[in-house]
Amino acid sequence: MTPTLPKISVIMPAYNVDRYVRRAVESIQNQTFEKFELLVVDDGSTDRTGQILDSIAERDYRVTVFHQQNAGAPAARNYALDQARGEYVMFFDADDWAVPTTLADMYEFAKSNRLELAVSGFYIDTYYGKDDQHTSEVKSCPDAVYRTQREFRLAAWQLFDANQLYPPWNKLFLRSRIEEMGLRFRPTFWDDFPFVLDFIRDVERVGVMEKPLYHFIRQRGESETARWRPEMYEKREEEHGWMLDIYHHWGLDGDANSMEMVQRRYIERLVGCIENVCNPQCKLSRQEKIAEIDRMIKTDRAKLAVEIAKPRSRMMEMMLAPIKAGDARMCYNEGNLISFVKRHNGKLFATLKAKR
């Protein structure tokens, strides 16, 4: 008897997440929708992640575990994609979890509307301090099924604004389209965004569910908040280029709503780059940091973005004022303040970020 092919392939890379991976896997096992396969790639974990996964897979035929030497999340996802058999693919992080009806709700929505891409709302749960204290923020857009490719493209700025189009994990992707495109995750830092951009570049049938189904867990532990990323600015510049490129491809680089979103997105992330330079782990001197900030805020891109962007809050308007004035020293002081709050008051930082 030929086994029935799964309707959904859930793909989960896992690296040193023995504190969380059981919850993530069990949230899939406990779905009301049963026609799935869960493909977990243990990416060379050095803790008990691999053993936990193997013990789960021994008792559930729907769970398959692969072990590989550490090669990063993109390689892990790509390996699982090569093994996937489902009609749709869902990507899942090993420290997150989903409500029990996630697969059922999304599959019914995708099938009934013949979608190539189904998008759902999600929660951002930001943990800080002890005793599982956390804030929970909902990211979602109203229910919509876009009748044409053009309709989706014109509405995409609203989806980007609500963080619906950045991550891979609040979505069902039609697997046949992934394979027709030869689409895989790029071997790069923050690899998930370019995968989604590649998929939506010429996508035709997209639907959005307002209901939040996925819990994205953001840990605000000491090591995470103290982290300095030396190539953050260059990466944000690259991402901005991708956004400009896709909107040019869509013929919307003259659309006011779309371009305001793109430019506001850039300038808000530039604030994050300034904070990154001000992180204590950055070994530049004070004067070198100010010079680096001056270089970032004086580019033609930054000048254009700060003129076009329309901040959504008084707080963000105040944060952008030093950039608009071209005052690197004021930006430096602001970056130090943001960095301090980020490292010492995770709850306040998460709340302010949500309200920006």
Side-chain angles (χ1 to χ4, degrees), residues 126-242:
T126 302
Y127 284 76
Y128 56 92
K130 300 178 181 178
D131 302 322
D132 286 337
Q133 293 176 303
H134 69 279
T135 63
S136 190
E137 177 189 359
V138 174
K139 294 290 188 181
S140 65
C141 283
D143 290 346
V145 175
Y146 300 105
R147 294 167 295 179
T148 65
Q149 185 183 71
R150 179 74 175 175
E151 187 177 321
F152 162 68
R153 291 175 174 182
L154 284 168
W157 70 270
Q158 297 169 300
L159 303 180
F160 277 118
D161 251 354
N163 281 37
Q164 297 299 287
L165 292 181
Y166 296 119
W169 31 251
N170 63 324
K171 300 172 177 65
L172 285 188
F173 298 86
L174 186 66
R175 190 172 69 86
S176 61
R177 187 167 192 278
I178 292 176
E179 296 308 319
E180 286 168 7
M181 297 173 65
L183 184 58
R184 291 296 186 268
F185 287 82
R186 303 182 196 178
T188 183
F189 175 46
W190 291 336
D191 61 293
D192 43 7
F193 184 39
F195 180 90
V196 176
L197 284 182
D198 287 342
F199 190 91
I200 68 173
R201 187 175 181 88
D202 292 303
V203 71
E204 293 187 4
R205 299 190 303 278
V206 180
V208 176
M209 299 172 59
E210 183 173 10
K211 184 177 181 181
L213 298 170
Y214 187 94
H215 284 260
F216 169 66
I217 307 302
R218 178 183 286 153
Q219 299 290 339
R220 286 290 178 202
E222 176 64 25
S223 61
E224 193 271 342
T225 55
R227 190 173 184 183
W228 167 59
R229 298 186 184 276
E231 298 178 0
M232 177 183 281
Y233 176 67
E234 289 73 18
K235 190 65 182 179
R236 292 306 192 192
E237 287 291 301
E238 183 180 36
E239 286 184 353
H240 188 56
W242 294 339

Side-chain angles (χ1 to χ4, degrees), residues 64-79:
T64 303
V65 178
F66 305 97
H67 299 274
Q68 67 177 26
Q69 292 186 340
N70 181 248
R77 292 190 183 105
N78 289 341
Y79 184 85

Side-chain angles (χ1 to χ4, degrees), residues 264-335:
R264 176 164 38 83
R265 177 189 186 276
Y266 173 79
I267 207 70
E268 288 178 353
R269 281 154 180 77
L270 187 60
V271 172
C273 293
I274 292 170
E275 181 276 323
N276 186 59
V277 170
C278 295
N279 188 297
Q281 285 193 354
C282 177
K283 299 307 180 184
L284 297 177
S285 68
R286 179 179 182 276
Q287 286 305 118
E288 288 172 332
K289 289 181 178 182
I290 292 173
E292 177 65 11
I293 292 169
D294 189 66
R295 179 179 73 88
M296 293 190 296
I297 67 174
K298 295 289 180 61
T299 65
D300 290 341
R301 273 187 174 181
K303 292 175 182 177
L304 176 65
V306 80
E307 288 299 325
I308 293 177
K310 298 177 182 177
R312 298 298 177 90
S313 68
R314 177 61 179 162
M315 179 191 71
M316 184 53 66
E317 190 175 319
M318 292 171 61
M319 292 176 70
L320 297 187
I323 301 176
K324 199 164 189 175
D327 191 329
R329 292 182 184 276
M330 192 181 298
C331 289
Y332 171 77
N333 292 333
E334 182 180 272

